């Protein structure tokens, strides 16, 4: 299970920094950090880079959050979207 939720070092949820960087970059993929910062060594450095990105251009994290909220509530057909739209259904697609 730890292998599933950990980065290369085995620390649980270490790979969240990858997703956070993508969010801070305007809603990019979690893989984007490796394109934009190929020399980033660990999650502490990726967090530092993400917060630097937020300080330099705070509108990017806002647009990223809005993008993912839109995807969550309106684009993907999940139980959450169907409940949000007033329909009662228990399965997901």
């Amino acid at each position: 299970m730890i292998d599933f939720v950990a980065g290369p070092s085995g620390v649980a949820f270490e790979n969240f920094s990858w997703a956070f960087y993508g969010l801070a970059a305007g809603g990019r993929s979690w893989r984007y950090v490796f394109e934009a910062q190929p020399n980033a060594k660990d999650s502490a450095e990726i967090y530092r880079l993400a917060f630097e990105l937020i300080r330099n251009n705070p509108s990017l994290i806002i647009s990223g959050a809005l993008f993912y909220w839109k995807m969550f509530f309106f684009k993907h057909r999940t139980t959450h979207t169907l409940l949000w739209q007033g329909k009662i259904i228990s399965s997901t697609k």
Side-chain angles (χ1 to χ4, degrees), residues 66-84:
L66 292 173
F67 171 77
Y68 281 117
W69 286 334
K70 181 180 174 186
M71 291 292 289
F72 180 77
F73 288 113
F74 302 109
K75 295 289 185 189
H76 292 147
R77 291 309 216 185
T78 65
T79 302
H80 295 93
T81 4
L82 296 174
L83 289 173
W84 178 265

Side-chain angles (χ1 to χ4, degrees), residues 41-57:
K41 295 175 183 63
D42 59 15
S43 63
E45 184 176 1
I46 294 172
Y47 278 121
R48 184 185 60 73
L49 292 166
F51 283 113
E52 183 179 303
L53 189 59
I54 293 167
R55 276 192 302 277
N56 292 337
N57 196 347

